[in-house]
Amino acid sequence: VKRPSLAIKLNSDTTEKNNENTLHSSKMTSPLLATHPESSFNNNSNTLKKHNSNETLPSVLPLINRSQKVELPDPTRILTFVHIGKSGGSTISSLLRNGCMESIQGKPCEPNRWEKFPGPAGRSETTASRRISFYLHTPHAEQGKLPDYYSRVTSIVAVARDPLERFFSAFLTRHPKNMDETRSRNKRARMIAELRGEPEPLWAKKVWPNGKPDANEEQRVAFRACYPNVEEFAHCVEIPRGERVYNGTIQWWWRDAWKYKNISLDCGELCRDVVLGRSEFVHHARWGYQAFLNPLPQDREVFVIRTNYLWNDWIHVNNLLGSTYDVPVPSKKDAERVINARGRLPVRNNVSEKGKRILCRCLKEEIRMYINLLNRAVNLSDEDVRVTLEDLQRNCPEVVETLMLENEAR
């Protein structure tokens, strides 16, 4: 029996108080967040000066506070690698002997796994690879076991990325059109490698659905009906409860039969839940800095590898852990074979400056945790932290200013 392809049945029961044609319009407008009484992230944005790209931004120095940085004697260090999704962790973990999910249980990963990394970076094992005991990623946070795992180590090596950029990546990675395209490309790359008798490319991983079949289909509908692109997602956040509701039926093929389920999605509520980390509909948006760092004790030492400075930080972390030379890093071409080999995807980031401001306000607590993480990093100098905060400030100037004002008020 030929298996039917997955399908989604959409009815025309989408209700909206405004013009229905705005659903897929990149010029969509919506009520101000301040008009929604239940909104918890309207942080007095009207009282802040709106910054533009041509004006000088205030100094970020008030946000630099290294008082909680813990630095331990090297022989006492017991390390884990913390992979916060969409921050470059897959790249670094491929260079670690214990950079696989099973390592937390004391099980070995595949031997010499770093050798799959193309170019000089994969020719020899690094000091960090030898010293990092196990790997932590989203499933470990989902299981609620991070406090136990953190109790086993003195130090963490974490990847970190600007929270707004991380959210964009999380959203676009899980967009159904991008998932379908990536799944097809990766499968084709694996088949070609097999025919040639070559190892599969590191980037050509299987792309798994979003949870169980019904949950996966419901999430696909949410992208289509509520937030088909980044800009519309940003404005969706401001839609009051009940103003846009999608009612429909999803269907999926399961165990030789079609299954059906009626669903109702309140778009505004769903968008707020996604960006505030209360929903699984954009998986890595839920498991961000707060999820990984709230359970981390204050007496743990922290090393940070910043996405925008990935290889410089990788070299420095290895040196601090005892490497007697600068570890080799990939050329741009070799790095792209691991990181950016997927090419251009159908749905790309189309966010406006207004959309960025909305999302930055929503991500305020993630930004706060990100700043704390940078301040705790023993491998980052004050100047490193300043430069990274200025990068953040260019994306989210109003939120950075708010956090500086809050610090001054304490």
Side-chain angles (χ1 to χ4, degrees):
V1 178
K2 185 177 179 181
R3 181 188 184 279
S5 60
L6 289 174
I8 302 173
K9 181 181 179 182
L10 302 177
N11 66 26
S12 58
D13 232 6
T14 303
T15 61
E16 188 176 11
K17 293 180 183 177
N18 295 323
N19 188 334
E20 191 167 332
N21 292 330
T22 64
L23 181 59
H24 298 291
S25 168
S26 62
K27 297 180 181 179
M28 177 178 116
T29 59
S30 56
L32 289 174
L33 185 61
T35 67
H36 185 222
E38 296 188 18
S39 298
S40 61
F41 39 76
N42 180 32
N43 53 35
N44 300 319
S45 60
N46 292 330
T47 67
L48 297 177
K49 182 179 179 182
K50 290 186 177 180
H51 300 282
N52 62 56
S53 58
N54 295 321
E55 66 180 315
T56 302
L57 295 170
S59 170
V60 297
L61 292 179
L63 291 176
I64 301 177
N65 179 359
R66 315 306 300 279
S67 62
Q68 295 188 32
K69 181 175 68 171
V70 174
E71 190 162 4
L72 300 176
D74 188 63
T76 69
R77 287 172 173 146
I78 304 171
L79 297 113
T80 184
F81 179 70
V82 177
H83 180 181
I84 301 170
K86 316 317 299 176
S87 301
S90 294
T91 301
I92 297 299
S93 67
S94 68
L95 292 168
L96 303 176
R97 70 161 70 175
N98 293 317
C100 65
M101 296 295 295
E102 296 77 18
S103 62
I104 189 66
Q105 302 163 356
K107 297 179 181 178
C109 304
E110 58 187 314
N112 301 339
R113 61 198 311 271
W114 58 87
E115 292 179 353
K116 287 189 175 182
F117 204 102
R123 289 176 189 157
S124 60
E125 187 178 15
T126 64
T127 300
S129 172
R130 288 191 293 270
R131 296 199 58 180
I132 289 173
S133 301
F134 56 88
Y135 166 88
L136 296 175
H137 194 23
T138 304
H140 304 111
E142 290 177 295
Q143 295 163 9
K145 294 183 177 180
L146 288 180
D148 173 46
Y149 298 147
Y150 288 150
S151 72
R152 305 182 191 181
V153 299
T154 64
S155 314
I156 72 165
V157 179
V159 285
R161 185 180 192 177
D162 179 307
L164 182 65
E165 298 295 336
R166 201 185 80 83
F167 180 82
F168 291 152
S169 180
F171 180 92
L172 293 169
T173 300
R174 302 315 290 177
H175 195 292
K177 290 183 180 179
N178 290 347
M179 287 180 66
D180 292 345
E181 175 67 18
T182 302
R183 183 180 290 113
S184 176
R185 289 183 186 179
N186 291 5
K187 182 177 180 181
R188 185 164 60 247
R190 293 195 302 271
M191 291 174 64
I192 291 172
E194 184 179 1
L195 289 172
R196 291 175 175 172
E198 299 173 351
E200 294 179 356
L202 278 176
W203 55 266
K205 300 174 183 177
K206 291 183 179 180
V207 178
W208 300 103
N210 292 309
K212 295 180 180 179
D214 58 332
N216 181 62
E217 295 308 309
E218 189 169 349
Q219 291 176 43
R220 293 176 73 92
V221 171
F223 274 92
R224 183 181 300 184
C226 294
Y227 40 82
N229 56 56
V230 178
E231 178 71 1
E232 292 198 37
F233 179 91
H235 290 280
C236 173
V237 167
E238 295 189 319
I239 298 174
R241 177 185 295 174
E243 186 158 312
R244 177 182 296 167
V245 178
Y246 169 83
N247 295 300
T249 302
I250 57 173
Q251 64 181 43
W252 65 96
W253 184 256
W254 180 249
R255 294 182 179 177
D256 299 326
W258 285 107
K259 305 292 182 181
Y260 300 88
K261 179 181 176 182
N262 294 326
I263 62 170
S264 181
L265 302 175
D266 185 320
C267 290
E269 285 293 287
L270 178 57
C271 289
R272 285 186 284 278
D273 285 344
V274 167
V275 76
L276 293 173
R278 301 189 302 229
S279 170
E280 289 286 355
F281 274 44
V282 178
H283 190 62
H284 283 302
R286 173 155 190 190
W287 303 102
Y289 294 109
Q290 294 173 83
F292 278 92
L293 299 179
N294 279 333
L296 182 67
Q298 287 298 318
D299 63 352
R300 294 305 185 267
E301 183 182 44
V302 172
F303 297 84
V304 168
I305 298 175
R306 300 163 293 169
T307 307
N308 289 348
Y309 307 92
L310 193 79
W311 298 116
N312 285 339
D313 288 351
W314 175 240
I315 291 170
H316 192 199
V317 167
N318 272 278
N319 290 343
L320 290 177
L321 294 179
S323 179
T324 56
Y325 59 92
D326 287 352
V327 297
V329 298
S331 65
K332 181 179 179 182
K333 181 179 179 181
D334 286 336
E336 286 176 349
R337 288 166 65 188
V338 177
I339 304 167
N340 296 318
R342 298 167 181 80
R344 301 189 72 179
L345 293 172
V347 181
R348 296 185 289 277
N349 189 359
N350 67 335
V351 74
S352 66
E353 287 301 314
K354 180 179 179 181
K356 285 172 67 173
R357 288 197 299 271
I358 295 168
L359 293 175
C360 286
R361 291 198 297 269
C362 299
L363 294 167
K364 179 183 173 184
E365 292 309 311
E366 282 291 283
I367 291 170
R368 190 195 305 276
M369 296 297 288
Y370 172 71
I371 294 171
N372 289 343
L373 181 67
L374 296 174
N375 275 317
R376 291 178 67 176
V378 299
N379 62 301
L380 300 183
S381 67
D382 289 359
E383 177 67 8
D384 292 331
V385 175
R386 183 189 65 78
V387 168
T388 309
L389 291 180
E390 288 177 349
D391 292 341
L392 171 66
Q393 186 181 40
R394 281 186 279 274
N395 264 338
C396 297
E398 293 177 15
V399 172
V400 169
E401 184 177 356
T402 299
L403 293 172
M404 287 195 289
L405 292 172
E406 289 178 2
N407 278 359
E408 291 174 10
R410 290 194 181 102

